Amino acid sequence: MRSIAAVSLALAFSGSVSAHGYLKYVDHKGIAYGLWEPFSDPYYNPLPLRYDRTIADNGPVVGMQSSNITCNNGGNNPANVGVIEVAAGDTLKLVWDQWGSSHSGPVMTYMAKCTPNCASFKGDTGSPWFKIDEFGYDATKNPPWGSDYLARQGAWWRVTIPPTIASGEYLLRHEILGLHVAHELNGAQFYPSCVHLKVTGTGSDSPSGVALPGAYDPNDKDGILISLYQINQGEKVYTAPGGPVWSKAAAPLQTTATATGSVYTATSLAPSVRGATTATTSATTAATTASTSRTTTLVTSTRTTTAASSTTTSRTTTPVTTTTSRTTTPATTTSRTTTGSTGGTVGAWGQCGGIGYTGATGCVSGYTCKVLNDYYSQCTPA
């Protein structure tokens, strides 16, 4: 089992990559549901319980016509993911690990009803999605771009589950689109996350109509293949991709003219170990605290995931109740071993090194291999 100190160190390195990010929590009525932590979760044994699809890293989906655009790079594995129960009409706070305002662009949120359930539904075929929220460019707000507004708020976003949708299981797909290099073909950077929800209520609407992949066109000169400068200077009107917000969606919640910052702190965590049934009050995640004490009840489960290192991990736990108390001292020095072949090159944002890695260690032109933690190095812009 990997130590808390080692995981904390990995998180420290991952946080050094500015501007990129991923969805970290979904807060529902004050309870924070933990989402996949790509730079620490793959190295826990057993794997922790998370409420979204596994992602590979904090980099973007660059090509928008592959199945990666559905739920991010990482395999879109639907099995053994926790489900958040909400009521139609409830408000959710979607909290990012970080976000920098250098990656300006729209913030968009979609839903798709899982058929027959989210444990087997991937959403990458047909057109099951519908948009429930969008903030593209609004010159009357400060800042005017949705992603910059999100950053100014404190790296979080609020959305309302449409009040009239039918009950059932849904994927909630929340996404930032970075347009800072979108003047180049396929330069737009997509950062989607897919969360498992169980919606209750008496509604009967079953909207759909958006295909992901399919809805995003690399040659869309109104929303994807655009220059931020032209939009910022008022030379062109911006239209976010993916079609309009569904007509029966709730009103947007980011309505104030000027965003004001408020850093999110999780005070009550949903179970993060499979089999636990109660939330932890006054919680701080084990990956970011120096001392933790917790009691957990485990049940037998198996989870298969494609981690950042492109390996498949499977874990089975035996029913047992344990009480653990750990105190760790933050490490001040690190030792890293990177293995791999020197032949070939790795594409933008791909893995290029780390303990146990055996692939190419060179990066395509314009990118350099950067160490994020002992187990993962990534091709980032030079």
Side-chain angles (χ1 to χ4, degrees):
M1 179 175 181
R2 197 174 185 206
S3 70
I4 294 173
V7 173
S8 299
L9 185 61
L11 286 173
F13 279 108
S14 70
S16 66
V17 183
S18 62
H20 300 158
Y22 54 87
L23 201 58
K24 185 174 183 177
Y25 295 117
V26 172
D27 185 297
H28 178 235
K29 296 185 176 180
I31 298 177
Y33 292 81
L35 307 183
W36 185 254
E37 300 269 8
F39 299 111
S40 60
D41 285 355
Y43 313 114
Y44 279 114
N45 184 17
L47 293 174
L49 173 65
R50 299 303 187 209
Y51 296 84
D52 66 334
R53 301 282 165 91
T54 299
I55 62 173
D57 49 53
N58 66 350
V61 178
V62 178
M64 63 206 76
Q65 294 177 305
S66 76
S67 59
N68 286 335
I69 198 65
T70 310
C71 291
N72 210 321
N73 309 309
N76 192 8
N77 179 19
N80 296 306
V81 179
V83 179
I84 306 172
E85 185 168 329
V86 302
D90 280 355
T91 295
L92 302 178
K93 180 176 281 190
L94 310 174
V95 184
W96 290 70
D97 75 312
Q98 63 174 338
W99 191 259
S101 60
S102 63
H103 286 26
S104 299
V107 177
M108 299 173 287
T109 307
Y110 301 80
M111 292 182 71
K113 191 164 188 182
C114 298
T115 306
N117 53 52
C118 289
S120 59
F121 176 79
K122 300 188 72 170
D124 57 0
T125 59
S127 53
W129 298 93
F130 57 101
K131 188 183 288 185
I132 66 168
D133 179 70
E134 171 188 289
F135 184 158
Y137 182 86
D138 186 343
T140 68
K141 289 185 171 63
N142 179 27
W145 283 104
S147 66
D148 298 345
Y149 201 97
L150 177 148
R152 181 83 62 84
Q153 284 192 139
W156 50 262
W157 202 254
R158 290 192 304 150
V159 296
T160 301
I161 304 301
T164 64
I165 60 172
S167 61
E169 293 191 10
Y170 289 81
L171 284 183
L172 178 83
R173 181 184 181 276
H174 180 62
E175 172 181 56
I176 294 176
L177 167 54
L179 298 173
H180 50 296
V181 288
H183 58 283
E184 302 173 355
L185 186 64
N186 287 317
Q189 297 185 356
F190 298 84
Y191 297 81
S193 293
C194 289
V195 178
H196 287 206
L197 300 181
K198 180 181 179 181
V199 178
T200 62
T202 59
S204 59
D205 286 329
S206 297
S208 61
V210 178
L212 293 165
Y216 295 161
D217 181 355
N219 295 297
D220 175 5
K221 295 183 179 180
D222 294 316
I224 294 177
L225 184 60
I226 60 102
S227 168
L228 278 175
Y229 175 82
Q230 287 184 304
I231 308 300
N232 292 338
Q233 296 300 312
E235 297 175 5
K236 192 170 183 178
V237 175
Y238 182 75
T239 302
V245 174
W246 180 47
S247 61
K248 292 187 179 181
L253 297 175
Q254 278 65 222
T255 56
T256 56
T258 302
T260 56
S262 176
V263 177
Y264 176 84
T265 301
T267 58
S268 184
L269 290 177
S272 61
V273 176
R274 190 167 300 279
T277 57
T278 58
T280 302
T281 308
S282 300
T284 304
T285 59
T288 57
T289 186
S291 177
T292 63
S293 178
R294 63 187 178 186
T295 300
T296 59
T297 302
L298 307 183
V299 298
T300 301
S301 64
T302 300
R303 175 170 179 167
T304 302
T305 178
T306 303
S309 56
S310 299
T311 62
T312 300
T313 304
S314 180
R315 56 106 168 178
T316 301
T317 62
T318 303
V320 62
T321 300
T322 61
T323 300
T324 62
S325 179
R326 309 184 185 94
T327 301
T328 65
T329 302
T332 56
T333 60
T334 63
S335 175
R336 304 184 193 92
T337 301
T338 300
T339 59
S341 63
T342 57
T345 56
V346 178
W349 311 111
Q351 183 177 5
C352 56
I355 295 174
Y357 176 72
T358 59
T361 57
C363 297
V364 295
S365 177
Y367 287 77
T368 185
C369 190
K370 182 179 180 66
V371 175
L372 298 182
N373 59 56
D374 293 356
Y375 295 85
Y376 195 77
S377 299
Q378 183 181 56
C379 287
T380 60

Coordinates of all heavy atoms in Angstrom, one line a residue, residues 64 110 210-217 220 224 241-243:
M64 N -11.1 16.1 -30.9 CA -12.5 16.1 -30.4 C -13.4 15.1 -31.1 O -14.6 15.0 -30.9 CB -13.0 17.5 -30.6 CG -13.1 18.0 -32.0 SD -13.1 19.8 -32.2 CE -11.3 20.1 -31.9
Y110 N -23.5 19.0 -19.4 CA -24.4 18.1 -20.1 C -24.9 17.0 -19.2 O -24.3 16.7 -18.2 CB -23.8 17.5 -21.3 CG -23.2 18.4 -22.4 CD1 -22.0 18.9 -22.3 CD2 -23.9 18.6 -23.6 CE1 -21.4 19.7 -23.2 CE2 -23.4 19.4 -24.6 CZ -22.1 20.0 -24.4 OH -21.6 20.8 -25.4
V210 N -27.7 15.3 -28.4 CA -26.4 15.7 -28.6 C -25.5 14.5 -28.6 O -25.5 13.7 -27.7 CB -25.9 16.7 -27.6 CG1 -24.5 17.1 -27.7 CG2 -26.8 18.0 -27.6
A211 N -24.6 14.4 -29.6 CA -23.7 13.3 -29.7 C -22.3 13.7 -29.3 O -21.8 14.8 -29.8 CB -23.6 12.7 -31.2
L212 N -21.7 12.9 -28.4 CA -20.3 13.2 -28.0 C -19.5 11.9 -28.0 O -19.7 11.1 -27.1 CB -20.3 13.8 -26.6 CG -20.9 15.2 -26.5 CD1 -21.2 15.6 -25.0 CD2 -19.9 16.3 -27.1
P213 N -18.7 11.6 -29.0 CA -18.3 12.5 -30.1 C -19.3 12.7 -31.2 O -20.3 11.9 -31.3 CB -17.1 11.8 -30.7 CG -17.3 10.3 -30.4 CD -18.0 10.3 -29.1
G214 N -19.2 13.8 -31.9 CA -20.1 14.2 -33.0 C -20.5 15.6 -33.0 O -20.6 16.2 -34.0
A215 N -20.7 16.2 -31.8 CA -21.2 17.6 -31.7 C -20.2 18.6 -31.9 O -20.5 19.8 -32.3 CB -21.9 17.8 -30.4
Y216 N -18.9 18.2 -31.8 CA -17.8 19.2 -31.9 C -17.1 19.0 -33.2 O -16.6 18.0 -33.5 CB -16.8 19.0 -30.7 CG -17.4 19.3 -29.4 CD1 -16.7 18.8 -28.2 CD2 -18.5 20.1 -29.2 CE1 -17.2 19.1 -26.9 CE2 -19.0 20.3 -27.9 CZ -18.3 19.8 -26.8 OH -18.8 20.1 -25.5
D217 N -17.0 20.1 -34.0 CA -16.4 20.1 -35.3 C -15.1 20.9 -35.2 O -15.1 22.1 -34.9 CB -17.4 20.8 -36.3 CG -16.9 20.8 -37.7 OD1 -15.7 20.4 -37.9 OD2 -17.6 21.3 -38.6
D220 N -15.3 24.4 -36.7 CA -16.3 25.3 -36.2 C -15.6 26.7 -35.9 O -15.0 26.8 -34.9 CB -17.0 24.7 -35.0 CG -18.0 25.7 -34.3 OD1 -18.2 26.7 -34.9 OD2 -18.5 25.3 -33.2
I224 N -14.9 26.8 -31.9 CA -13.8 26.0 -31.6 C -12.5 26.5 -32.3 O -11.5 26.6 -31.7 CB -14.1 24.5 -32.1 CG1 -15.2 23.9 -31.2 CG2 -12.8 23.7 -32.0 CD1 -15.6 22.6 -31.5
P241 N -19.8 25.6 -28.6 CA -20.2 24.4 -29.4 C -21.2 23.6 -28.6 O -21.4 23.8 -27.4 CB -18.9 23.7 -29.6 CG -18.0 24.1 -28.4 CD -18.4 25.5 -28.1
G242 N -21.7 22.5 -29.3 CA -22.6 21.6 -28.6 C -24.0 21.9 -28.6 O -24.9 21.3 -28.0
G243 N -24.4 23.0 -29.4 CA -25.8 23.3 -29.5 C -26.3 24.1 -28.3 O -25.6 24.4 -27.3

